[in-house]
Amino acid sequence: MNQSIATFAGGCFWCTEAVFLQLKGVESVVSGYIGGRVENPTYQQICTGTTGHAEAIQIIFDEDLIAFGTLLEVFFATHNPTTLNRQGADVGTQYRSEIFYHSDSQKLLAEAYILQLVEAKVFDSPIVTQLSPVTAFYPAESYHQNYYQQNKEQSYCHYVITPKMNKLSESFTTLLK
């Protein structure tokens, strides 16, 4: 097994966690907070937008089964990387699009993939996804973990996450568990 870590912020962590938990080679996904100034922040603090943290996920994956480049492909296909500090109705710096790289290799792969998307004109607006070295990652409170699976009937899940899950199953069938 060739275990690696990837850390992505792509808006609400409930959405990104639900998506990546479905992929073959992904061993675990933890929702949490990264990139801010407060140690051990709480969800209530994050929601103010004043801590500097992003809602993010930390993915443990087996590189023998799924490549970091494939994770990037899914990341960019399942959130909007062109809206600054926003994903749909979720607005604030905590909802920014950011990749926290764990190695120079991850940084180079992310830069190359973003350039590929730009050159192919995949999006109508400029990509605003930031690339930053990984910093302290703080797991979110336990009720945020595996949120979608436990709350599928909740309106936010039904109207926001379920369409992402449908897109995932249509576009990435061969990657699903």
Side-chain angles (χ1 to χ4, degrees), residues 48-61:
T48 67
T50 61
T51 68
H53 290 88
E55 286 193 15
I57 57 168
Q58 198 151 76
I59 305 164
I60 305 295
F61 66 103

Side-chain angles (χ1 to χ4, degrees), residues 55-136:
E55 286 193 15
I57 57 168
Q58 198 151 76
I59 305 164
I60 305 295
F61 66 103
D62 183 344
E63 281 197 88
D64 291 335
L65 300 176
I66 190 167
F68 181 73
T70 303
L71 296 178
L72 288 172
E73 186 179 346
V74 171
F75 175 68
F76 281 100
T78 56
H79 86 292
N80 185 344
T82 69
T83 54
L84 187 62
N85 300 327
R86 170 183 211 135
Q87 286 297 303
D90 295 328
V91 179
T93 57
Q94 67 271 32
Y95 300 115
R96 66 186 178 266
S97 177
E98 191 163 0
I99 297 167
F100 293 89
Y101 55 86
H102 291 257
S103 66
D104 289 339
S105 172
Q106 284 188 354
K107 179 184 179 187
L108 292 172
L109 286 167
E111 288 171 338
Y113 191 72
I114 291 169
L115 182 60
Q116 181 182 337
L117 293 171
V118 169
E119 289 176 347
K121 298 181 185 343
V122 172
F123 299 101
D124 294 333
S125 300
I127 293 173
V128 297
T129 304
Q130 301 171 49
L131 298 178
S132 303
V134 72
T135 58

